[in-house]
Amino acid sequence: VQLKESGGGLVPAGGSLRLSCSASGIDWNYYAVGWFRQSPGKEREVISCISTKEGTVNFRDSLKGRFTISRDVAKNTVYLQMDSLKSEDSAIYHCATSWVKCGSGESWYDNWGQGTQVTVSS
């Protein structure tokens, strides 16, 4: 399984970005897909996850209303819509798959993409 994130870039504060996580060779119906981010000097943190069984799971109350996860099974793509971006949202964003569930820890996920950089200018 190879995951590839895209859609990152430089955006002014208050702007929006939509990240994409695409993969080949898997059926999204059988995997949970999570979005994570890691800022310099900080640990990677889970943002949200989506799966057929659980629907959408949001792990960060502070991001509710600004970040939305969705998927297009036909396109084998999971999205992270990010609105009203703030400078503290600057990070490398990764997607990852889990065969088991939408877990809150990295250990639940076994395939990771390389990440896409998001930089929010203030």
Side-chain angles (χ1 to χ4, degrees), residues 35-104:
W35 279 103
F36 292 74
R37 68 182 183 183
Q38 186 168 23
S39 304
K42 296 184 178 180
E43 293 187 355
R44 188 157 53 187
E45 61 180 15
V46 64
I47 299 169
S48 58
C49 181
I50 189 167
S51 72
T52 298
K53 182 177 180 180
E54 299 158 286
T56 59
V57 181
N58 295 303
F59 293 102
R60 295 262 173 261
D61 288 342
S62 61
L63 299 180
K64 284 183 180 179
R66 295 199 300 121
F67 286 24
T68 305
I69 191 171
S70 63
R71 70 178 183 178
D72 186 330
V73 175
K75 293 184 178 179
N76 268 3
T77 302
V78 173
Y79 303 99
L80 184 68
Q81 177 68 40
M82 307 187 296
D83 299 316
S84 302
L85 284 162
K86 305 175 182 180
S87 58
E88 53 262 41
D89 295 320
S90 297
I92 298 175
Y93 285 72
H94 297 267
C95 62
T97 61
S98 171
W99 180 247
V100 181
K101 62 174 286 184
C102 281
S104 59

